[in-house]
Amino acid sequence: MKKISVLGSTGSIGTQTLDVVDITGQYEVFALSAHSNVELLEKQIRKYKPSVVCMTDENAASDLRVRVKDTPVKVLSGIDGACECASCDEVDTVVTAIVGIAGLKPTLSAIRSGKRIALANKETLVTAGEIVMREASLNNVEILPVDSEHSAIFQSIANQGKFLNRIIITASGGPFFGKTREELENVTPEMALKHPNWSMGAKITIDSATLVNKGLEIIEAMHLFGLPVDKIQPIVHRESIIHSMVEFCDGSIIAQMGVADMKLPISYALSYPKRTVPVCKALDLVGVGKLSFFDIDYRTFPSIDLAKKAAESGGVMCAVYNGANEAAVELFLGGKCKFTAITELIEKAMDRAPKTQNPELEDIFMADMFARKIVKECC
């Protein structure tokens, strides 16, 4: 039985990972980490009986220690505690589901400890892809994508990577497909959080509404699969049945299909190269009826062009793109900026950011802090 560590266990991907644990009965939960949801992490401790847990919020960690003092679990705190949960000797696979750049250091700790990575934190590769992929190569570590799109690409490529010509990443289009930019001026957080197909956390749902999520996925795919961004094409696929496709040099296109349920890619990342028992309902093709595809409206959703610009600039620019977005989404959810201002703030941060090339890890975090500062100043 594989022993796993789940970083971000109280979030959407983390809780669905534990659902997979329950359904398959094939994994032992050795470590868990969360930020501040004490009540849910306490429930997870009592159910899964991990040996070690972490709350990155220090006050939450103090509260948790009191709540679970009747158990033998070791309670850690802060980012160092998350890194320890990621690098426990007993763990085989680490599910990195911490949201945002906060997942970067724990993911690197897991890689340097030789763990298999089930990567649900796209920001890790977006902000520091060259560093992360280099460390993975040096430590002979497999990075298995959990994002539905990248899992689909990985499954579709199989062992044919040398023949890969193009990646086609599908996007649902979010809740505002077909709208003009002018129509999005007065969008509220409540409106943006109503995704048509997927049940996700607040931040990624807003990213889906702005299509920033697709920009992040293009950058992530560039690092995972070794293609330039001009060979990675996003298209709108409203039904979210085809999760992505690959085109080979002979013109053949292979697609991966399934219901819109994150337990599928989570299960595959945990069980690879094998497959496990069904973890969700089967796809009913007759019930689906038809599949539709549309081009991206780049005027209404400039986020993808900004992501490609960041990727082509290289250096710290992708970290700037990501940091500015994280800060702008936080402002939007707090009612402090308009929906359309999110991409405007990203662009302003990119225009003002230093063009540092060949960055070290510290440069990545400095660029992230710079981007957040610019966003707050400009809002």
Side-chain angles (χ1 to χ4, degrees), residues 189 327-337:
V329 168
E330 185 177 343
L331 290 173
F332 171 67
L333 287 172
K336 296 178 181 178
C337 79

Side-chain angles (χ1 to χ4, degrees), residues 62 74 235 251 254 264 313 335 340:
S62 297
K74 179 181 180 182
I235 62 170
I254 305 294
L264 272 172
S313 297
T340 50

